[in-house]
Amino acid sequence: MALCKSSINGAAVNLLLLVLLLCSYCSQLEAKTHLHKWDVRYEYKSPDCYRKLVMTINGRTPGPTITAEQGDTIVVVLKNSLGTENTAIHWHGIRQFGTPWSDGAEGVTQCPILPGESFTYRFVVDKAGTFMYHGHYGMQRAAGLNGLIIVSPRLGLPEPFTYHHDRSILLTDWYHASTFDQAVGLSSVPFVFVGEPQSLLINGRGEYNCSLVAKTPAPGTGNGSIPTCNSNSPECAPFSLTVVHGRTYRLRIGSLASLSTISFQIEGHEMTVVEADGSYVEPFVTKNLIIYSGETYSVLVKADQPPTRNYWLVTSVVARKPATPNGLAIFNYYPNHPRRNPRTSPPAGPQWNDTASRLSQSRAIKARKGYFESPPQKPDRVIELLNTQNKINGQFKWSLNNLSLALPSTPYLVALKKKLKGVFDAEQPPDQVNLDSYDIYDVAKNVNATSSSRIYSLEFNSTVDIVLQNANTMTPNNSESHPWHLHGHDFWVLGYGEGTYDSNRDPQYYNLVDPIMKNTVPLHPYGWTAIRFRADNPGAWFFHCHIESHFFMGMAVVFEEGIGMVGRLPSSVMGCGKTKPHRSLG
Amino acid sequence: MALCKSSINGAAVNLLLLVLLLCSYCSQLEAKTHLHKWDVRYEYKSPDCYRKLVMTINGRTPGPTITAEQGDTIVVVLKNSLGTENTAIHWHGIRQFGTPWSDGAEGVTQCPILPGESFTYRFVVDKAGTFMYHGHYGMQRAAGLNGLIIVSPRLGLPEPFTYHHDRSILLTDWYHASTFDQAVGLSSVPFVFVGEPQSLLINGRGEYNCSLVAKTPAPGTGNGSIPTCNSNSPECAPFSLTVVHGRTYRLRIGSLASLSTISFQIEGHEMTVVEADGSYVEPFVTKNLIIYSGETYSVLVKADQPPTRNYWLVTSVVARKPATPNGLAIFNYYPNHPRRNPRTSPPAGPQWNDTASRLSQSRAIKARKGYFESPPQKPDRVIELLNTQNKINGQFKWSLNNLSLALPSTPYLVALKKKLKGVFDAEQPPDQVNLDSYDIYDVAKNVNATSSSRIYSLEFNSTVDIVLQNANTMTPNNSESHPWHLHGHDFWVLGYGEGTYDSNRDPQYYNLVDPIMKNTVPLHPYGWTAIRFRADNPGAWFFHCHIESHFFMGMAVVFEEGIGMVGRLPSSVMGCGKTKPHRSLG
């Protein structure tokens, strides 16, 4: 790059030509740096017509979409204007090779960012695809601190499909209770569950039924001139996606739902799935795309229906008994008015409890021929994680192999790199518990579960298999879906199974031919999911259920690998716990 | 002290007697250290029957009362369990001689305490009297983070009055909106004022009219099994003060109201005021004690009424047009049932807008003969602070001499002691603006007001006069009351005046004979208040309006004095802004 630049400054034309030739091999030639200045604060907004405090980025929720080209550098200077609350933002799906301190996982990779302070995230987007970002501190993601990252392939690298237009849709669910209310309830004894979300949002817009809200103004609106719920607020006008008949649209769809698994469909239109979590998918056609929190997909949609009217774009809750109305947006055929509702009834989503068809869609997602890297054929280590609901000291928790993660007040990455003692429990968590003796269909009764800050140490560059084993919760005949998200890596999805995993039998049926690489994968009720990854990214990395409340209740583990290779940590990630400035200014 | 201790270990009786004699002069003999371990978190509580998140200390709001003897050392190890929010606690009325870093004023004396971390406050209570503590970060005081400190005189030092029993009462007002809602409204453009409080609390208990609340359960209560407002909640049973006929009670009364100035009275009983902010008052009798936020008083009350029934203890709002119902508690004559309401109607409070009688009570508060220190007869410096309401960048603010305080992200004390550059505006704020040319009766129009981090540098041990000058707000015919509180010092109250202060005329009428020493003093509508203090406490100290919203909107100045004499700062006060650990762990 330096060569290219200085040479272009030269005058001789033949030298210039030579340099241009060289530069075609110079992979950094087109790499740009994108500087974003973000101000994070609370503001009153009405995303689903109900007015409440929302965390915004530069006045918006979802925040601005980051767009870049593969190989570019993203710089986000985040100013915390929250008043009394800290923050941190995770770049979901970005692997952070060489910049593990920019992963934004409070407690793992950094201290939180204090009010009044600015923090600079700097990282390279090394892979094309659809990614996301969101708050990764407390339950801030659910407060509206989220958005999309769209990375296009390096110039000249064609994609294995074509389309006319690129559009994106971020799906969320939305609570009227503050994240403080939610968090206190989840950690209360007795437990107070926040319940199902009030709305599903499509690109930050939903429509709550305001007649369900008392007419009294919201607390904090003072003189009462501002109603709590206003169906006519422009902030909750439905999202409208305008299309031209005959054109093909790439829809990038991500979900950062707190709780819900979402079915996405477009009335009268089929979708061809072509990308998942930044990997190309062997195309398949569906009417309902099931999307778990933390996942992204690209689908191709041809605007091939009669263009004389608009169509519904619908989201609905699956995998939990729904108590949240469907989310609606408008698939608008030009030149119909973008706000004109179709006269048809919105199509109903799939049965919420049709686990078989969701499992079937999971299995349908394979890597695209000619566009994938084969997995190592054998793992160096297998970690089986039994997912259970537990009570610890009277509080409801989620545990893996009977351990519920409790973050230390010093981030793991800093403690490991600086060799600080006493930050976290030194012993590793167990690689297995005896699954044979555990009845996954029985009500969870793991009385020995404890809170723990232990982490897994992985050998650098080793191949690690993780088998997630689901089980019954503490409620009879109930097993929940858990979308598991890995930071710092993509993993191959080796297989999904029903019932109890059998370490002798099941690996024989792993897909080692064309497994998709993802960063988030569902664990289905009463089932298991097996993944494989290379521990090739020096750092400390979360692996956790992406349901916000489950994560808050300890449903997470942490891996570390190659810490000796981690570069010099920026001082900005420190300042908490044992990294307070004891000796710096004395 | 060391002498006393080691000598007592000796055996010879005559030596012991000598030592005991010596120890009667050993002022530290009885000094104890009181260790308190506090856990600060959010919990659901119903202080006025309305259920909402409240900041608690060890499960309580108000927090535990700290009791100690003059000269004792208080150690509070504060664990922040708030989740995502920082905190800091100020020890209101404690001067912190030698421990300015323990003042708990976030942004002035310390960085905030991060979630998951513990911070140790350690200070000596060098003066007997009634004091308070409260959150001093954002608007956390209004979230319930508050309590009382009661310091009794050193053993053997008699007080100038007698009583049978010592009881204490903390007065607050209470909002149903969260402090987040309040703060966002106050900084919004357009401005959204939270309005008047929903309730007045007496020792943390009030009674909201639950019929005014919609029957829908509060957000966050999930399944709806927990009602938003429950008149039968034991948490909002009225406070009952049990007395025995014929006995005299010392009532220590403090106010940490957010907004309200409160009139306190006991049906059928007179009160003799004997203490204010830890200074003995020349006794006077009143039926209504007017108490401003930040003030404490002791009154003597004789239980001299017919003991066959209970009496009302009433708080009511003055100095603002009240929209908050009176607060009620029970003055219970033993053996009547402590919860039996009197059949009488609670007495009405004084007229809210009777400024003259409030001014008259302010003037009635003089130092007790024989129990006061005379003030220096002349000041070395006079600072006149014109109090105005302004708009700055569209936001409503409060300013002093056209400057509205904006705290830097590095605490002043640390920046000054460590000589860190660029933390705050170097220039001092002006000592005066031209009052002659300012019409205090005109609607405020200070278009030149700005936000600023400038502070006043006081010469160590100099005598400083502050003249607070009130004015009309931005609303026609409106001037508000402002209780001004000084950290790190008591001050003599030299006088109160009506109209515009005249620096030639008014000082002639200052009370230099028996002015009371206080730490909080009211500034009356369209009036002025003059105080004097010795800048004898090395450190950096807030001086601010104690109305939470006014403080939040910049109604504060900061003084610094004798920084060179400040001892070594504990590293625990650092970690934010320019005190992040740049060099400590590299």
Side-chain angles (χ1 to χ4, degrees):
Chain A
M1 177 68 175
L3 173 68
C4 300
K5 209 169 173 185
S6 60
S7 301
I8 288 167
N9 290 341
V13 172
N14 55 354
L15 181 61
L16 184 63
L17 285 172
L18 174 67
V19 165
L20 284 175
L21 188 69
L22 280 168
C23 284
S24 70
Y25 299 99
C26 177
S27 68
Q28 297 292 317
L29 175 67
E30 300 291 334
K32 295 185 200 73
T33 295
H34 304 263
L35 174 64
H36 300 272
K37 292 190 175 183
W38 285 4
D39 181 74
V40 172
R41 61 174 65 233
Y42 280 109
E43 293 182 66
Y44 277 106
K45 295 278 180 190
S46 306
D48 67 346
C49 307
Y50 181 90
R51 184 176 158 86
K52 59 164 283 196
L53 287 186
V54 172
M55 272 191 195
T56 60
I57 298 171
N58 296 348
R60 296 162 57 183
T61 175
T65 296
I66 293 178
T67 55
E69 200 170 280
Q70 191 180 6
D72 288 357
T73 297
I74 308 296
V75 179
V76 177
V77 181
L78 189 160
K79 168 85 188 289
N80 178 355
S81 297
L82 293 172
T84 55
E85 203 179 346
N86 306 312
T87 194
I89 288 187
H90 170 57
W91 315 94
H92 182 112
I94 308 300
R95 289 171 294 178
Q96 304 286 355
F97 280 117
T99 55
W101 48 78
S102 275
D103 192 46
E106 186 277 332
V108 174
T109 64
Q110 69 166 106
C111 291
I113 307 164
L114 270 66
E117 297 192 353
S118 288
F119 182 94
T120 300
Y121 290 100
R122 178 186 294 268
F123 53 88
V124 173
V125 288
D126 66 325
K127 189 181 165 187
T130 308
F131 309 104
M132 304 185 285
Y133 62 83
H134 58 80
H136 212 297
Y137 185 51
M139 300 183 77
Q140 291 184 347
R141 185 182 99 210
L145 192 57
N146 52 47
L148 287 168
I149 303 172
I150 296 176
V151 183
S152 49
R154 200 169 283 134
L155 204 72
L157 278 185
E159 298 198 270
F161 45 82
T162 58
Y163 49 87
H164 298 101
H165 302 284
D166 195 329
R167 299 284 183 267
S168 51
I169 290 176
L170 182 60
L171 305 178
T172 50
D173 47 14
W174 192 243
Y175 284 100
H176 293 173
S178 74
T179 51
F180 291 93
D181 282 284
Q182 296 180 46
V184 170
L186 293 173
S187 50
S188 288
V189 179
F191 183 70
V192 180
F193 182 52
V194 65
E196 306 298 316
Q198 276 65 55
S199 300
L200 294 180
L201 307 186
I202 299 173
N203 277 345
R205 291 154 179 276
E207 188 175 357
Y208 188 70
N209 180 351
C210 284
S211 72
L212 300 175
V213 177
K215 296 299 176 199
T216 49
T221 57
N223 54 17
S225 60
I226 303 159
T228 308
C229 200
N230 175 11
S231 304
N232 299 318
S233 166
E235 291 175 9
C236 60
F239 172 70
S240 183
L241 180 77
T242 299
V243 298
V244 172
H245 188 263
R247 298 282 181 129
T248 298
Y249 292 82
R250 176 183 190 165
L251 297 189
R252 299 173 184 266
I253 307 161
S255 170
L256 289 174
S258 280
L259 179 68
S260 311
T261 300
I262 293 172
S263 163
F264 175 91
Q265 61 186 315
I266 306 169
E267 181 190 10
H269 293 74
E270 291 189 327
M271 299 178 281
T272 304
V273 180
V274 293
E275 182 217 338
D277 295 2
S279 295
Y280 295 125
V281 171
E282 184 64 23
F284 69 94
V285 173
T286 186
K287 284 201 160 191
N288 298 286
L289 177 72
I290 304 296
I291 181 164
Y292 294 84
S293 179
E295 288 190 317
T296 65
Y297 289 96
S298 284
V299 299
L300 300 182
V301 181
K302 187 162 188 195
D304 58 3
Q305 293 302 301
T308 52
R309 68 170 185 99
N310 292 339
Y311 295 81
W312 290 110
L313 202 152
V314 187
T315 56
S316 55
V317 172
V318 292
R320 293 182 69 89
K321 190 170 181 181
T324 308
N326 290 355
L328 294 172
I330 296 171
F331 196 72
N332 162 239
Y333 272 77
Y334 181 85
N336 298 290
H337 193 283
R339 297 259 177 265
R340 187 183 301 154
N341 286 349
R343 294 208 191 116
T344 48
S345 292
Q351 292 294 312
W352 72 268
N353 53 359
D354 184 358
T355 306
S357 79
R358 285 187 283 113
L359 177 59
S360 162
Q361 186 177 103
S362 290
R363 286 175 166 155
I365 300 164
K366 303 277 173 62
R368 181 143 186 159
K369 288 178 192 66
Y371 287 86
F372 67 90
E373 181 191 356
S374 291
Q377 293 299 297
K378 290 280 177 198
D380 298 307
R381 181 172 175 181
V382 177
I383 298 172
E384 297 170 8
L385 297 176
L386 175 63
N387 289 231
T388 55
Q389 201 178 43
N390 309 89
K391 257 192 177 176
I392 300 175
N393 297 328
Q395 293 180 318
F396 270 97
K397 295 282 183 185
W398 289 91
S399 301
L400 293 314
N401 295 353
N402 287 335
L403 298 178
S404 181
L405 188 72
L407 286 174
S409 58
T410 307
Y412 288 105
L413 178 63
V414 182
L416 290 161
K417 176 75 181 164
K418 300 288 178 190
K419 300 189 171 63
L420 306 178
K421 300 292 176 203
V423 167
F424 57 89
D425 306 336
E427 198 185 349
Q428 287 195 49
D431 279 12
Q432 281 91 23
V433 290
N434 190 347
L435 290 181
D436 296 339
S437 68
Y438 190 90
D439 184 352
I440 67 161
Y441 298 100
D442 204 2
V443 170
K445 50 181 178 286
N446 299 41
V447 290
N448 295 323
T450 55
S451 286
S452 153
S453 59
R454 298 194 215 172
I455 67 170
Y456 290 97
S457 291
L458 306 180
E459 193 179 340
F460 184 68
N461 255 337
S462 64
T463 299
V464 180
D465 277 12
I466 308 288
V467 180
L468 296 159
Q469 174 66 59
N470 214 337
N472 201 101
T473 64
M474 296 183 75
T475 306
N477 300 311
N478 178 251
S479 180
E480 301 192 2
S481 295
H482 302 288
W484 277 84
H485 171 61
L486 179 59
H487 291 218
H489 309 75
D490 289 338
F491 49 75
W492 290 275
V493 181
L494 302 182
Y496 301 89
E498 293 168 279
T500 303
Y501 174 77
D502 181 331
S503 60
N504 294 314
R505 178 195 60 206
D506 292 322
Q508 303 172 41
Y509 304 100
Y510 282 172
N511 174 10
L512 300 175
V513 178
D514 58 356
I516 189 79
M517 290 198 89
K518 296 185 92 261
N519 60 60
T520 304
V521 69
L523 173 61
H524 295 283
Y526 298 113
W528 57 263
T529 298
I531 64 171
R532 178 168 295 174
F533 67 95
R534 268 204 209 94
D536 58 358
N537 193 359
W541 308 105
F542 254 135
F543 180 49
H544 63 87
C545 177
H546 212 262
I547 291 177
E548 192 77 325
S549 54
H550 294 186
F551 171 65
F552 184 80
M553 293 155 79
M555 201 168 199
V557 299
V558 176
F559 300 121
E560 66 93 355
E561 69 214 38
I563 290 296
M565 278 170 274
V566 170
R568 186 187 165 88
L569 299 180
S571 61
S572 55
V573 301
M574 303 179 212
C576 60
K578 287 187 188 287
T579 67
K580 284 185 78 81
H582 287 288
R583 291 175 296 274
S584 64
L585 293 152
Chain B
M1 178 64 176
L3 173 66
C4 299
K5 209 171 174 185
S6 60
S7 302
I8 287 168
N9 289 340
V13 172
N14 54 353
L15 181 61
L16 183 63
L17 284 172
L18 175 67
V19 164
L20 285 174
L21 188 69
L22 280 170
C23 284
S24 70
Y25 299 99
C26 179
S27 67
Q28 297 292 318
L29 176 65
E30 299 292 333
K32 296 185 200 73
T33 296
H34 304 263
L35 174 64
H36 300 272
K37 291 190 176 182
W38 285 4
D39 181 75
V40 173
R41 61 174 65 234
Y42 280 109
E43 294 182 66
Y44 277 106
K45 295 277 180 190
S46 307
D48 67 346
C49 307
Y50 181 89
R51 183 177 160 88
K52 58 165 284 197
L53 287 186
V54 173
M55 271 190 195
T56 61
I57 298 172
N58 296 348
R60 295 163 56 183
T61 174
T65 296
I66 292 177
T67 56
E69 201 170 280
Q70 191 179 4
D72 288 356
T73 297
I74 308 296
V75 180
V76 177
V77 181
L78 190 161
K79 169 85 187 290
N80 177 355
S81 297
L82 292 171
T84 55
E85 204 179 345
N86 307 312
T87 192
I89 288 188
H90 170 56
W91 315 94
H92 181 111
I94 309 300
R95 289 171 294 178
Q96 304 286 357
F97 280 117
T99 54
W101 48 76
S102 275
D103 192 45
E106 187 277 333
V108 175
T109 64
Q110 69 167 103
C111 292
I113 307 163
L114 271 64
E117 297 193 354
S118 289
F119 182 93
T120 300
Y121 290 101
R122 177 186 294 268
F123 52 87
V124 173
V125 288
D126 66 324
K127 189 181 165 188
T130 309
F131 308 104
M132 303 185 286
Y133 63 82
H134 59 80
H136 213 297
Y137 185 51
M139 300 183 77
Q140 291 184 347
R141 187 182 98 210
L145 192 56
N146 53 46
L148 287 168
I149 302 171
I150 295 177
V151 183
S152 50
R154 199 169 284 136
L155 204 72
L157 278 185
E159 297 199 271
F161 45 82
T162 57
Y163 49 87
H164 297 101
H165 303 284
D166 195 329
R167 300 282 183 268
S168 51
I169 291 176
L170 183 60
L171 305 178
T172 48
D173 48 12
W174 192 243
Y175 284 100
H176 293 173
S178 74
T179 51
F180 291 92
D181 282 284
Q182 296 180 46
V184 169
L186 293 173
S187 51
S188 288
V189 179
F191 182 70
V192 179
F193 182 52
V194 64
E196 306 298 315
Q198 276 64 55
S199 299
L200 294 180
L201 307 187
I202 299 174
N203 277 346
R205 291 155 178 275
E207 188 175 358
Y208 188 70
N209 180 351
C210 283
S211 72
L212 299 175
V213 178
K215 295 300 176 199
T216 48
T221 56
N223 53 17
S225 60
I226 303 158
T228 308
C229 200
N230 174 12
S231 304
N232 298 319
S233 166
E235 292 175 9
C236 61
F239 172 70
S240 182
L241 180 77
T242 299
V243 298
V244 173
H245 187 263
R247 299 282 181 129
T248 298
Y249 292 82
R250 177 183 190 166
L251 297 188
R252 299 172 184 267
I253 308 161
S255 171
L256 289 174
S258 281
L259 179 68
S260 311
T261 301
I262 292 172
S263 164
F264 175 90
Q265 62 186 315
I266 306 169
E267 181 190 10
H269 293 73
E270 291 189 327
M271 299 178 280
T272 304
V273 180
V274 294
E275 182 218 337
D277 295 4
S279 296
Y280 294 123
V281 170
E282 184 64 24
F284 69 95
V285 173
T286 187
K287 285 202 159 191
N288 298 288
L289 177 73
I290 304 296
I291 182 164
Y292 293 84
S293 179
E295 289 190 317
T296 65
Y297 289 97
S298 285
V299 298
L300 300 181
V301 181
K302 188 164 188 195
D304 58 4
Q305 293 303 299
T308 51
R309 68 170 184 99
N310 292 338
Y311 296 80
W312 290 111
L313 203 152
V314 186
T315 56
S316 55
V317 172
V318 292
R320 294 181 68 88
K321 189 169 181 181
T324 308
N326 290 355
L328 293 172
I330 296 172
F331 196 72
N332 161 239
Y333 273 77
Y334 180 85
N336 297 290
H337 194 284
R339 297 260 178 263
R340 187 183 301 155
N341 285 350
R343 294 209 191 114
T344 48
S345 291
Q351 291 293 311
W352 73 268
N353 54 359
D354 184 359
T355 307
S357 80
R358 285 185 285 113
L359 178 58
S360 163
Q361 187 179 104
S362 290
R363 284 174 167 156
I365 300 163
K366 303 277 174 61
R368 180 139 187 165
K369 288 179 191 66
Y371 287 85
F372 67 90
E373 182 191 354
S374 291
Q377 294 299 298
K378 290 279 177 199
D380 298 308
R381 181 173 176 182
V382 177
I383 298 172
E384 297 169 8
L385 297 176
L386 174 64
N387 289 230
T388 54
Q389 201 178 43
N390 309 89
K391 258 192 177 176
I392 300 175
N393 298 328
Q395 293 180 318
F396 270 97
K397 295 283 183 186
W398 289 92
S399 300
L400 293 313
N401 295 353
N402 287 336
L403 298 177
S404 181
L405 187 71
L407 287 174
S409 57
T410 307
Y412 287 106
L413 178 63
V414 182
L416 289 161
K417 176 73 181 166
K418 301 288 178 190
K419 300 189 171 64
L420 307 178
K421 300 293 175 202
V423 168
F424 57 90
D425 305 337
E427 198 185 349
Q428 287 194 50
D431 279 10
Q432 282 91 23
V433 290
N434 191 347
L435 290 180
D436 297 339
S437 67
Y438 191 90
D439 184 352
I440 66 161
Y441 298 98
D442 205 3
V443 170
K445 51 180 178 285
N446 299 41
V447 290
N448 296 324
T450 54
S451 286
S452 153
S453 59
R454 297 194 215 173
I455 67 169
Y456 289 97
S457 291
L458 306 180
E459 194 178 339
F460 184 68
N461 256 336
S462 64
T463 299
V464 180
D465 277 11
I466 308 288
V467 181
L468 296 159
Q469 174 66 58
N470 213 337
N472 202 101
T473 63
M474 296 183 75
T475 307
N477 300 312
N478 179 251
S479 181
E480 301 191 4
S481 295
H482 302 288
W484 276 84
H485 172 61
L486 180 59
H487 291 217
H489 309 75
D490 289 338
F491 49 73
W492 290 275
V493 181
L494 302 183
Y496 301 89
E498 294 168 280
T500 303
Y501 174 78
D502 181 330
S503 60
N504 294 314
R505 179 195 60 205
D506 292 322
Q508 302 171 42
Y509 303 100
Y510 282 172
N511 175 11
L512 300 175
V513 177
D514 59 356
I516 189 79
M517 290 198 89
K518 295 184 94 265
N519 60 59
T520 305
V521 68
L523 172 61
H524 295 283
Y526 298 114
W528 56 262
T529 298
I531 64 171
R532 179 168 294 173
F533 67 95
R534 271 206 206 91
D536 58 358
N537 193 359
W541 307 105
F542 254 134
F543 181 48
H544 64 87
C545 177
H546 212 262
I547 291 176
E548 191 78 325
S549 53
H550 294 186
F551 170 66
F552 183 81
M553 293 155 78
M555 200 168 200
V557 299
V558 176
F559 300 121
E560 67 91 354
E561 69 215 37
I563 291 294
M565 278 170 275
V566 170
R568 185 188 165 88
L569 299 181
S571 60
S572 55
V573 301
M574 304 180 212
C576 60
K578 287 187 188 287
T579 69
K580 283 185 79 78
H582 287 288
R583 291 175 296 275
S584 64
L585 293 153

